[in-house]
Amino acid sequence: MNNQDEQRLEECYCPAQKALSILGGKWTLSIIRELSSGTKRFGQLQKSLKGISPKTLSARLQELEKQAIVTKEIYLEVPPRVEYSLTTKGESLKKILLDLVKWGTENLRSED
Amino acid sequence: MNNQDEQRLEECYCPAQKALSILGGKWTLSIIRELSSGTKRFGQLQKSLKGISPKTLSARLQELEKQAIVTKEIYLEVPPRVEYSLTTKGESLKKILLDLVKWGTENLRSED
C-alpha cells in the first residue's frame, strides 16, 4: 500500500460502502457466484438459487446490470432467450470477493 | 487465482456474505477507517463520526470486538480511560477494503 492509497483510505471509504451496500443485498453474492462459472439463463439462475422469487431475482439482476456488473443478452427466438453474464467489471470483482471469502474463513467466528 | 481457490469460490461465498453483513452495517466502515490511523478513545470516535449516537457506536464496537477486529483496552485511571484499536485481523482487512474502495471508485456509477 503506497502513501497515496493510505491517504485515500483514510479520507473516505464511501466507494467501499457503496460496493458493500450493493453486494450485501440478499442473493447478490450468490448471483455473482452462479455467473462466475459462465453465462446463465434466468430460469437456470432461479433453479440454482433455491428459494429466490422471480421478482427478487429480476430486481437483483437489474441492479447489477445498472452497475454494469452483469450484462443481459436477448436472443430473438421463439420463445425469446435471455442470458446473463458477468461483465469485465463483474469479473474484476471475483478477486476481491475471493479475498473476502478467505478473510472471512480465517477470521470470522462461525458460531455467531 | 489457482484452481483450488476458484473451486472454493464457486462452492460458497458464505464467509464473504458474513463479512459483508458485518462490514455493511451503518458506521462500521467509518469506525474501521478511524481506527486505521491509530488507537482512539470512545469520545474521540464519537467526535470524528459526526452524527453517530453513543448507543450505536457502542453496539458497533461490541460487534467488532466480538469478531476480534477491534480490541478494547481499559486503563484504571480516574476517570477510567478506554481505548480502541484494530487487531491484526482488523489490520488485515485494510488491504481488502482498499481494493474495494478502488474497485468502487473505478466501477460504480456515482449518480446512483
Side-chain angles (χ1 to χ4, degrees):
Chain A
M1 217 184 276
N2 62 37
N3 282 346
Q4 201 187 343
D5 286 344
E6 281 275 9
Q7 195 184 353
R8 181 159 54 161
L9 191 61
E10 278 164 30
E11 277 168 10
C12 189
Y13 275 18
C14 320
Q17 187 78 62
K18 187 162 165 53
L20 288 184
S21 81
I22 293 169
L23 299 174
K26 189 163 157 56
W27 297 107
T28 304
L29 279 193
S30 304
I31 292 168
I32 295 173
R33 183 196 65 216
E34 287 301 319
L35 294 179
S36 73
S37 62
T39 296
K40 296 272 190 321
R41 295 193 195 185
F42 189 93
Q44 289 177 305
L45 286 171
Q46 207 192 338
K47 202 172 165 184
S48 314
L49 304 167
K50 295 183 203 324
I52 196 170
S53 71
K55 191 181 161 189
T56 303
L57 178 54
S58 182
R60 289 296 177 274
L61 285 169
Q62 269 182 32
E63 172 67 18
L64 291 169
E65 276 181 78
K66 195 169 145 193
Q67 294 296 343
I69 293 169
V70 162
T71 183
K72 174 167 80 172
E73 286 273 356
I74 304 173
Y75 297 89
L76 296 174
E77 301 169 358
V78 182
R81 183 160 52 102
V82 183
E83 292 187 345
Y84 297 87
S85 323
L86 289 185
T87 61
T88 313
K89 287 183 186 182
E91 290 286 341
S92 69
L93 250 184
K94 280 168 70 176
K95 170 73 175 62
I96 300 176
L97 291 177
L98 182 69
D99 286 344
L100 210 55
V101 169
K102 277 185 181 170
W103 184 88
T105 306
E106 288 162 12
N107 293 303
L108 295 178
R109 294 178 184 182
S110 56
E111 71 270 25
D112 302 319
Chain B
M1 216 183 275
N2 62 36
N3 283 345
Q4 203 188 342
D5 285 345
E6 283 276 6
Q7 195 186 355
R8 181 158 55 160
L9 190 62
E10 279 166 28
E11 278 168 11
C12 189
Y13 276 18
C14 321
Q17 187 78 63
K18 189 163 164 52
L20 288 183
S21 82
I22 293 168
L23 300 174
K26 189 163 158 57
W27 296 107
T28 304
L29 280 193
S30 304
I31 293 169
I32 295 174
R33 182 197 65 215
E34 286 302 318
L35 294 179
S36 73
S37 61
T39 297
K40 297 270 187 328
R41 295 193 196 186
F42 189 93
Q44 289 177 302
L45 285 172
Q46 207 193 338
K47 201 171 166 186
S48 314
L49 304 168
K50 296 184 200 326
I52 196 168
S53 71
K55 192 181 160 191
T56 302
L57 178 54
S58 181
R60 289 294 177 275
L61 285 168
Q62 270 182 33
E63 171 67 20
L64 290 169
E65 275 181 79
K66 195 169 147 193
Q67 294 295 343
I69 294 169
V70 161
T71 182
K72 175 166 79 173
E73 286 275 355
I74 303 172
Y75 298 90
L76 296 174
E77 302 170 356
V78 182
R81 181 160 52 101
V82 183
E83 292 186 344
Y84 296 87
S85 322
L86 289 186
T87 61
T88 312
K89 287 185 188 183
E91 290 286 341
S92 69
L93 251 185
K94 278 169 70 175
K95 169 74 176 62
I96 300 177
L97 291 178
L98 181 67
D99 286 343
L100 211 55
V101 169
K102 277 185 181 171
W103 184 89
T105 306
E106 288 162 11
N107 293 303
L108 295 179
R109 297 181 181 179
S110 57
E111 72 270 29
D112 304 320

